[in-house]
Amino acid sequence: MATFWGDGDYGVQQPLTDEMVREAEHVLGVRLPLALLDLLRVQNGGIVAADRDAFPTCRPTSWSEDHVPFDGLMGIGHRDGTTSLLDTPYLLEEWGLPVPLVLLTGDGHYWIGLDYRTCGRDGEPSVTWFETDLDAELVLADDFSSFVRGLTASSTYGDGSADAPVPTP
């Protein structure tokens, strides 16, 4: 899991504690996946390694013909100037996204989040891509562990055109 993280401290929160996890689950109203918490215990948010900064898609999005970006993962905390999983309730309202979700990364025009709508607040959420400008969504993986295993390097993709080679996930 240590190879999941890239260099630098951009977006990194204070080291994760059990108390911070309890606070997050209370604020978010869901049980967070153990695979996510395991990653955040290694490093509490930040830049993702270059060989894991994209996820292949089965259909085009506004981002690309064959993948979506995943260059960072929000942590849990209150570090000034750093967006956190704890900001999810505000961001869901601001961008008109469904509930219950926990946003992992995004810029407002798109988000990748844990989607609890099917599994319930205590279940294992799928990971879903949301395009707020187009009011569209795409399930990327059935669970967070599968999502992490499916991450690839954005550099392996072509320019996004239909003729560009598509890597196998």
Side-chain angles (χ1 to χ4, degrees):
M1 291 289 195
T3 60
F4 176 85
W5 297 106
D7 294 329
D9 64 355
Y10 180 80
V12 178
Q13 300 284 342
Q14 296 298 318
L16 189 64
T17 65
D18 290 342
E19 183 177 326
M20 292 164 74
V21 172
R22 283 191 296 278
E23 175 193 2
E25 290 182 334
H26 175 74
V27 167
L28 301 169
V30 298
R31 183 182 53 80
L32 295 170
L34 293 177
L36 171 63
L37 295 175
D38 287 345
L39 274 177
L40 296 179
R41 284 186 173 100
V42 172
Q43 179 178 302
N44 192 4
I47 298 169
V48 173
D51 63 345
R52 295 175 179 260
D53 66 352
F55 193 87
T57 59
C58 59
R59 70 175 200 239
T61 66
S62 64
W63 180 264
S64 169
E65 292 287 320
D66 54 10
H67 71 284
V68 294
F70 190 74
D71 56 357
L73 173 62
M74 291 189 276
I76 297 171
H78 299 284
R79 185 173 169 201
D80 286 342
T82 303
T83 308
S84 161
L85 295 179
L86 299 174
D87 295 315
T88 291
Y90 165 77
L91 294 169
L92 294 179
E93 185 175 335
E94 176 74 17
W95 292 98
L97 293 166
V99 175
L101 300 179
V102 174
L103 300 177
L104 302 173
T105 192
D107 69 359
H109 301 286
Y110 77 85
W111 295 99
I112 294 176
L114 299 173
D115 189 349
Y116 288 85
R117 290 176 294 173
T118 301
C119 68
R121 295 176 182 275
D122 292 322
E124 188 67 31
S126 60
V127 178
T128 304
W129 164 266
F130 296 91
E131 296 186 70
T132 57
D133 295 340
L134 302 175
D135 195 26
E137 58 186 71
L138 173 65
V139 174
L140 300 174
D142 290 337
D143 56 59
F144 187 76
S145 294
S146 299
F147 175 75
V148 171
R149 283 193 304 274
L151 290 169
T152 61
S154 61
S155 62
T156 63
Y157 294 90
D159 60 7
S161 70
D163 297 329
V166 177
T168 54

